[in-house]
Amino acid sequence: MTDRIYGVADTTFSRVNMGEIAVKTITKEDPEGKIIRYTVPGIKDLPVAAKKLIEEGCDGVITLGWVGKTQLDKYSYLAASIGLITVQLMTSTHVIDVTIHEDETEDEERLRDIAIDRAKKHSINLVKLVRDGRSALTGLAGKGLRQGYENAGQLD
């Protein structure tokens, strides 16, 4: 039996059920891990959700949010991002911020694919950090890896 607990915080504003994707991916990557999911209305609610999940014993949290196209939406994301960074600093716990910006593409099918890819890849990143420790991603440093898009590739 494991003591690893993963937190998954998602929103009702998202247009793709990224929380479900994260839960399935984490379960596949670490079948012995426990997952606690917390769904909130929007991105500005994610920092408190992440903090509560950590207080409930989660070893790491993934937050999955969706940002609309307006300038106000972008400001809301900035506030949420600062909040998530603050939670990480307050708790010394990784909070992987997965965000889809509605204006990344006009193609809704492509936007869905970006959301799925980003949620899966970052869920795997969370598992590696929680299960395997701080050096788990070191071998991937400088590779130009991307979530949601083709990898950029390394330059050296």
Side-chain angles (χ1 to χ4, degrees), residues 7 9 18 21 26 31 57 84-86 103 105 116 120 127 135 137:
M18 294 183 292
I21 294 164
I26 293 167
L84 292 171
I85 292 167
T86 302
D103 58 4
T105 179
I116 292 167
K120 285 180 180 178
V127 170
S135 62
L137 298 176

Side-chain angles (χ1 to χ4, degrees), residues 17 26 90 104 114 121 125:
N17 191 344
I26 293 167
M90 288 172 48
E104 288 186 59
I114 291 168
K121 287 179 178 175
N125 286 337

Side-chain angles (χ1 to χ4, degrees), residues 4-131:
R4 289 183 302 275
I5 304 173
Y6 301 92
V8 174
D10 63 334
T11 71
T12 61
F13 185 74
S14 293
R15 297 180 62 202
V16 173
N17 191 344
M18 294 183 292
E20 181 178 311
I21 294 164
V23 167
K24 287 179 180 177
T25 303
I26 293 167
T27 300
K28 179 181 176 187
E29 293 294 315
D30 187 1
E32 296 178 6
K34 179 181 175 188
I35 300 169
I36 303 172
R37 185 172 175 184
Y38 189 163
T39 304
V40 296
I43 56 172
K44 291 183 292 187
D45 304 298
L46 288 173
V48 73
K51 186 170 181 287
K52 285 183 169 207
L53 286 167
I54 293 165
E55 289 170 349
E56 291 177 22
C58 291
D59 300 299
V61 174
I62 187 168
T63 61
L64 304 128
W66 197 278
V67 179
K69 293 181 181 182
T70 71
Q71 192 64 40
L72 180 60
D73 293 323
K74 293 174 189 328
Y75 288 138
S76 293
Y77 172 68
L78 178 61
S81 180
I82 292 168
L84 292 171
I85 292 167
T86 302
V87 170
Q88 290 186 84
L89 295 172
M90 288 172 48
T91 63
S92 295
T93 303
H94 287 289
V95 177
I96 306 288
D97 174 19
V98 178
T99 307
I100 304 302
H101 298 262
E102 185 100 358
D103 58 4
E104 288 186 59
T105 179
E106 292 296 319
D107 181 344
E108 290 192 351
E109 184 177 329
R110 177 71 183 120
L111 195 59
R112 185 201 71 222
D113 292 345
I114 291 168
I116 292 167
D117 185 72
R118 199 169 284 163
K120 285 180 180 178
K121 287 179 178 175
H122 275 306
S123 295
I124 293 168
N125 286 337
L126 179 64
V127 170
K128 288 179 180 180
L129 287 169
V130 169
R131 183 190 60 205

